[in-house]
Amino acid sequence: MTWEETYKVWEDFEPLEETLKSELTSMKGDSEALEDAFYAPLEFGTAGMRGIIGVGINRMNQYTIRQATEGLALFMDSLGEDTKKRGVAIAYDSRHQSPEFAMEAAKTLGAHGIPSFVFESLRPTPELSFAVRQLNAYAGIMITASHNPAAYNGYKVYGEDGGQMPPKEADALTTYVRSIENNLTIDVVSEEVLKEKGLLTIIGEEMDQLYLEQVKKVTVNPDLVKRMSKKMKLVFTPLHGTGQMLGERALANAGFEGITVVPEQAVADPEFSTVKSPNPEEPGAFEYALRLGKEIDADILVATDPDADRLGIAVKTTVGNYEVLTGNQIASLMLYYLLKAQKDAGALIEDGVVLKSIVSSELPTAIAEHFGMKMVDVLTGFKFIAEKIKQYEEDKSQTFLFGFEESYGYLVKPFVRDKDAIQALVLIAEVAAYYKEQDKTLYDGLQDIFHEFGHYKEKTISITMEGIEGSEKIKALMAKFRNESPREFAGIGVECVEDFEKRERTYQKGMKETIDMPSSNVLKYKMVDGSWLAIRPSGTEPKIKFYIGSYADSAIEVKRKIDDFEATIDIIIKN
């Protein structure tokens, strides 16, 4: 159907939810707004879906939630009664309509006789991952838009291993979701009927305790924590999200006492009223934590995003200011501490493996190899790290030690199969305590790592291109790079090009190799000096991302290289 025909179906649908009906009425005559809301269904892919809350098939609302869940229910129907009986765990964050969307999912599953385990109130994404495994549920649903602005919400589906569904299952699920022609007429049952039929179980504190018991295993050196528990000062902000639910309790369980929570941001707030963006990647998210940190002379400032799967930190520099570190730098500090502590204790595992995404720094690779550990790269998306963990558990070939993505996501212990900011919060506090005991800051610790391994620097350039026109521009840019493959960037020659969509690595001399990874729309250019550049469209946002990585003997030289690459990218985009 055309967007006009789809709009007409919605306009004529009498039972349309009142808020959405009112919004639709207010849009009457605004063809541009109507086309954007109805021109295409909200994209449902391997990472689920994410979008602005509102009326239309291209928005997050109760009908698009039902459609996504109906697809999951149909998929589970195809797998048989035993699968259906295992049910689905459902959690949600602090965003607008998150509790309502969670219940809509349960009501849709209930129409198929599939039981739901719904959290009593907001919970972090990693706890949802844990709950799927703990309950032996077949799947999990997380209602969240991660660190997006307040106008957004989203929907993520997890598989039975607690990781986001891998490509094969995700593709099957997506096919079912897209086969639904009219999401207005999907059958649901009431909450009362769910309870009557035993298809709704409310979960909460008991699951919290089970999860927190596992988080205790993240602590590497309890004696260090005990010695430094009151001396090391940490400021924590959950940025109005779910991190407050378990973050403080996890730190207290580990033995830390010098913890101060930013009071204004400890309150769950769907408007995220104290920040422009609830994204711990951005320095602006630390405004309140910075103010409080200066007041109490904190050693480290820590922020978690709304669904507490990502974590960012700001550390005190040599001149007493605070500097926000990158996800790559945080991962490097964590990994170095983990491996050094294990080596010092004589507990390094011979078959240990570290996992990272293809767009993450090579500094952790150097650290892992220094300690005799293996680094394995996977595609972007933590589900690929989860897949590898599952593979290693089954074939016993490697032992998982640590996994991360440059986008501020880390996993220490695999009882969760997604990014876990609660685990990361406990570990980074211990790393800060380790350096504090040496009269050093985390900033000093990072400089020590650079001194030992060389200077690595990365930068991500994220360009938003909204709407239909933006989507076409992103496709055109990817086609341009793919069809007119540059032979150099910023005067540095390209050694090889990795096209992950074609699963092909091509060297400038003509030799080709197959890339042993699933197909993905990513291009990566490896330069002759060890620098690299990767390009990928976001799977959940209207963005195209450029990732740059470089290496040099000095901070000045590595920064110059990054600046030169950035200028080159800017020229290419404008042309």
Side-chain angles (χ1 to χ4, degrees), residues 43-49 68 71-72 75 79 138-139 155-161 163-179 383-384 387 518:
E43 184 70 24
F44 189 95
T46 57
M49 63 183 184
L72 175 60
F75 180 41
L79 299 174
Y138 177 72
Y155 181 107
K156 294 197 289 190
V157 182
Y158 287 77
E160 60 187 328
D161 70 334
Q164 288 188 49
M165 277 197 169
K168 182 180 177 182
E169 289 83 357
D171 288 347
L173 169 59
T174 300
T175 299
Y176 279 110
V177 173
R178 292 176 181 172
S179 71
K383 60 180 172 288
F384 296 109
E387 268 193 309

Side-chain angles (χ1 to χ4, degrees), residues 228 232 234 299-300 427-437 440-442:
M228 301 302 295
M232 197 274 296
L234 181 149
D299 298 291
I300 177 175
L427 178 58
I428 201 64
E430 184 176 347
V431 180
Y434 167 75
Y435 286 109
K436 175 79 171 179
E437 192 171 46
K440 291 181 178 181
T441 66
L442 279 169

Side-chain angles (χ1 to χ4, degrees), residues 179 230 273 323:
S179 71
K230 294 181 180 178
S273 52
E323 181 174 313

Side-chain angles (χ1 to χ4, degrees), residues 87-112:
V88 177
I90 303 175
Y92 56 90
D93 68 7
S94 57
R95 291 178 175 275
H96 287 296
Q97 298 188 45
S98 283
E100 293 84 356
F101 288 167
M103 194 51 65
E104 286 295 336
K107 288 156 63 176
T108 307
L109 292 167
H112 290 256

Side-chain angles (χ1 to χ4, degrees), residues 44 68 105 122 136 172 186 212 330 353 363 390 459 499 519 551:
F44 189 95
L122 72 169
N136 191 34
I186 292 168
L212 288 168
I330 297 167
V353 64
L363 176 55
K390 184 179 180 182
K459 186 163 187 177
D499 188 332
S519 178
Y551 167 81

Side-chain angles (χ1 to χ4, degrees), residues 64 77 85 88 106 128 163 168 171 184 224 233 401 405 411 432 451-452 460 531 557:
T64 49
D77 283 345
K85 286 177 184 175
V88 177
L128 182 276
K168 182 180 177 182
D171 288 347
L184 297 176
L224 166 68
K233 295 180 182 178
L401 294 176
E405 290 184 322
L411 182 63
H451 180 75
E452 184 172 356
T460 301
S531 300
E557 177 62 15

Side-chain angles (χ1 to χ4, degrees), residues 35-244:
E35 181 180 6
D36 193 47
F38 289 99
Y39 83 94
L42 195 62
E43 184 70 24
F44 189 95
T46 57
M49 63 183 184
R50 192 180 299 175
I52 294 170
I53 300 168
V55 68
I57 61 172
N58 191 34
R59 297 288 185 266
M60 287 294 299
N61 53 61
Q62 69 185 65
Y63 302 105
T64 49
I65 289 288
R66 288 176 182 178
Q67 179 171 357
T69 312
E70 179 73 1
L72 175 60
L74 291 170
F75 180 41
M76 292 177 70
D77 283 345
S78 74
L79 299 174
E81 286 301 315
D82 288 344
T83 295
K84 291 170 64 175
K85 286 177 184 175
R86 290 170 62 186
V88 177
I90 303 175
Y92 56 90
D93 68 7
S94 57
R95 291 178 175 275
H96 287 296
Q97 298 188 45
S98 283
E100 293 84 356
F101 288 167
M103 194 51 65
E104 286 295 336
K107 288 156 63 176
T108 307
L109 292 167
H112 290 256
I114 299 171
S116 296
F117 304 88
V118 182
F119 276 96
E120 63 188 359
S121 62
L122 72 169
R123 289 300 191 281
T125 289
E127 189 176 5
L128 182 276
S129 171
F130 173 76
V132 170
R133 295 168 59 78
Q134 188 67 30
L135 295 165
N136 191 34
Y138 177 72
I141 295 170
M142 184 71 200
I143 306 295
T144 179
S146 190
H147 54 279
N148 281 72
Y152 284 76
N153 212 329
Y155 181 107
K156 294 197 289 190
V157 182
Y158 287 77
E160 60 187 328
D161 70 334
Q164 288 188 49
M165 277 197 169
K168 182 180 177 182
E169 289 83 357
D171 288 347
L173 169 59
T174 300
T175 299
Y176 279 110
V177 173
R178 292 176 181 172
S179 71
I180 299 162
E181 294 183 2
N182 187 352
N183 57 21
L184 297 176
T185 56
I186 292 168
D187 288 334
V188 296
V189 296
S190 69
E191 189 173 340
E192 290 72 23
V193 170
L194 289 178
K195 291 175 180 176
E196 286 171 11
K197 293 187 175 183
L199 294 172
L200 176 64
T201 302
I202 302 300
I203 58 176
E205 177 59 26
E206 186 178 341
M207 191 63 66
D208 296 343
Q209 290 181 13
L210 291 168
Y211 170 81
L212 288 168
E213 197 61 34
Q214 293 296 317
V215 174
K216 287 180 182 178
K217 298 177 182 178
V218 170
T219 300
V220 180
N221 188 340
D223 291 336
L224 166 68
V225 175
K226 190 174 181 179
R227 292 193 303 269
M228 301 302 295
S229 63
K230 294 181 180 178
K231 298 175 184 177
M232 197 274 296
K233 295 180 182 178
L234 181 149
V235 168
F236 170 47
T237 172
L239 297 178
H240 301 295
T242 62
Q244 173 68 5

Side-chain angles (χ1 to χ4, degrees), residues 252-310:
N253 286 349
F256 290 102
E257 297 181 44
I259 309 302
T260 305
V261 178
V262 177
E264 301 92 337
Q265 297 175 331
V267 180
D269 176 9
E271 285 297 318
F272 308 111
S273 52
T274 64
V275 288
K276 289 182 179 178
S277 171
N279 187 350
E281 301 181 39
E282 298 176 6
F286 285 89
E287 180 186 352
Y288 280 66
L290 182 63
R291 190 183 309 152
L292 184 55
K294 287 180 177 178
E295 284 178 17
I296 68 172
D297 192 31
D299 298 291
I300 177 175
L301 318 177
V302 185
T304 54
D305 71 343
D307 66 321
D309 64 348
R310 299 172 193 253

